[in-house]
């Protein structure tokens, strides 16, 4: 049993969860799961990530001991490789349930729109942006 309790505000395990729970961290770990890649290969492999975000993500993972970068090659450490099983399980869960999640978002979007003075709104294809829908 661990000495850490993620329910406590000052628990250092929360920082760890933040690092490994970050979307791009998960994607980079999975991308490096089959072996080392160069920066450009990672950029090509990971759709939608910007240069800046990839650089920040690699630095975050390196700073937490999850990968090494030597001579332009980025490779998971033993600690980073230990993340592959849970991260791949999470990715598989996400792929399996994406349809249900999108349906739920669409339903929540429609429910939120009902609160706005009865105006008629078409369902959206993109996720709900709660900042645009804040009731003030």
């Amino acid at each position: 049993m661990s000495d850490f309790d993620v329910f406590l505000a000052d628990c250092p395990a929360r920082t760890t969860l933040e690092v490994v729970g970050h979307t791009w961290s998960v994607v980079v770990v999975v991308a490096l799961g089959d072996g080392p890649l160069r920066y450009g290969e990672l950029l090509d492999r990971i759709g939608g990530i910007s240069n800046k975000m990839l650089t920040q993500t690699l630095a975050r993972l390196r700073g937490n001991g999850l990968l090494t970068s030597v001579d332009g090659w980025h490779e998971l450490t033993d600690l980073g490789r230990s993340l592959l099983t849970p991260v791949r399980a999470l990715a598989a869960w996400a792929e399996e349930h994406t349809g249900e999640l999108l349906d739920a978002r669409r339903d929540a979007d429609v429910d939120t729109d009902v609160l706005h003075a009865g105006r008629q709104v078409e369902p959206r294809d993109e996720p709900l942006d709660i900042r645009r829908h804040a009731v003030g």
Side-chain angles (χ1 to χ4, degrees):
M1 190 69 174
S2 172
D3 292 333
F4 301 111
D5 183 349
V6 296
F7 295 109
L8 298 177
D10 61 348
C11 179
R14 283 190 183 184
T15 303
T16 302
L17 288 172
E18 181 181 329
V19 170
V20 300
H22 187 272
T23 300
W24 293 119
S25 294
V26 170
V27 174
V28 169
V29 167
V30 172
L32 292 172
D34 292 329
L37 293 171
R38 291 187 156 298
Y39 184 91
E41 294 171 320
L42 278 167
L43 202 57
D44 290 343
R45 170 110 192 222
I46 302 170
I49 194 169
S50 67
N51 281 310
K52 179 180 178 181
M53 187 54 64
L54 179 56
T55 299
Q56 290 174 348
T57 301
L58 291 171
R60 182 183 309 111
L61 293 172
R62 194 171 34 255
N64 283 278
L66 299 172
L67 70 82
T68 61
S69 300
V70 178
D71 295 329
W73 291 93
H74 305 283
E75 181 176 16
L76 294 175
T77 62
D78 289 341
L79 182 61
R81 279 189 291 283
S82 73
L83 265 178
L84 283 172
T85 299
V87 162
R88 284 177 174 157
L90 180 59
W93 181 90
E95 289 171 1
E96 182 179 336
H97 296 284
T98 293
E100 296 165 73
L101 292 170
L102 292 175
D103 289 345
R105 285 183 191 168
R106 185 179 56 247
D107 293 346
D109 212 11
V110 171
D111 291 346
T112 302
D113 289 332
V114 170
L115 297 175
H116 293 281
R119 65 185 164 101
Q120 186 67 32
V121 178
E122 293 296 318
R124 293 182 190 84
D125 290 329
E126 74 274 0
L128 175 66
D129 182 347
I130 60 172
R131 292 169 296 187
R132 289 189 306 137
H133 294 282
V135 177

